[in-house]
Amino acid sequence: GTARTSGKSRNKLPSSGCKVCANSASTLLLVASNTTLYLGFLFFGTITHVEETIRTLVEGTAWQRNPVRFLILDLALVAGVDMSAAEAFVRVQRLLSTRRVVLVFCGFSLESNVGRSLRNVDLLEMDGVELFATFNHALECELSLFLESRSEYLISGSSGTENVYLRTWFSSQKT
């Protein structure tokens, strides 16, 4: 298939700025110009910029030029998230779900301040939300899913061995 919009979140978390990174469904490029870093605490004053940045990715001409399949938010440099910021992430997830975009968090544990705040608004249990320990792990998993979803098109007529390897690897990454 295509982007996962149902099912519970996947949590791979042995570890523990907000880095906003998106990949294009058509070109599979990381959009470096849409990377923003936040250090410290996300609260009502700082989350506005994060929410606006994400909205520009999925609304209007930006979406027409470069539709996004996965949005990865790396919160490794964020010490905490207040209630208004957590609620903003819920709004963002609802917006993304209308576009069938998977919201991927990474860089924190469920027991951290960030993890507790996002759990308090049930964000991490919502459909279309995933959680990984690191940015690299999140990127690898989403890249493999993207390639798997495109594999029939990319390797039509082959034995499908590549699909078996991708599915096996991805299954080993799930909790």
Side-chain angles (χ1 to χ4, degrees):
T2 57
R4 294 161 326 283
T5 55
S6 63
K8 293 297 178 190
S9 59
R10 286 181 286 135
N11 300 308
K12 293 295 291 180
L13 293 168
S15 72
S16 326
C18 174
K19 186 183 342 179
V20 178
C21 205
N23 75 337
S24 163
S26 58
T27 60
L28 196 64
L29 295 175
L30 288 179
V31 183
S33 63
N34 290 322
T35 301
T36 307
L37 290 175
Y38 287 93
L39 299 168
F41 201 81
L42 280 176
F43 63 102
F44 69 91
T46 54
I47 196 65
T48 303
H49 179 69
V50 174
E51 193 171 3
E52 288 171 2
T53 300
I54 293 169
R55 283 186 183 281
T56 63
L57 292 173
V58 296
E59 293 180 338
T61 58
W63 177 262
Q64 298 301 320
R65 284 191 321 265
N66 193 23
V68 174
R69 295 261 318 267
F70 307 101
L71 181 71
I72 300 174
L73 298 180
D74 184 0
L75 304 182
L77 300 177
V78 174
V81 175
D82 78 354
M83 183 58 77
S84 61
E87 293 286 339
F89 282 131
V90 170
R91 287 191 303 273
V92 163
Q93 190 282 330
R94 288 182 183 142
L95 172 66
L96 294 175
S97 70
T98 66
R99 297 290 192 160
R100 299 183 56 142
V101 176
V102 178
L103 178 58
V104 182
F105 287 102
C106 60
F108 62 91
S109 71
L110 291 172
E111 296 76 30
S112 69
N113 290 335
V114 173
R116 284 192 302 273
S117 294
L118 297 182
R119 280 195 344 252
N120 285 342
V121 294
D122 296 323
L123 179 63
L124 300 177
E125 294 303 318
M126 297 176 94
D127 290 344
V129 176
E130 298 177 356
L131 176 60
F132 293 93
T134 67
F135 178 76
N136 286 341
H137 192 211
L139 189 59
E140 287 172 12
C141 286
E142 299 313 327
L143 177 61
S144 74
L145 287 173
F146 177 81
L147 292 175
E148 183 177 348
S149 72
R150 306 285 289 187
S151 63
E152 287 183 27
Y153 171 76
L154 296 173
I155 46 180
S156 60
S158 74
S159 65
T161 304
E162 295 89 346
N163 287 340
V164 172
Y165 290 132
L166 282 173
R167 272 194 284 281
T168 302
W169 178 84
F170 178 70
S171 294
S172 73
Q173 302 302 309
K174 288 184 176 180
T175 55

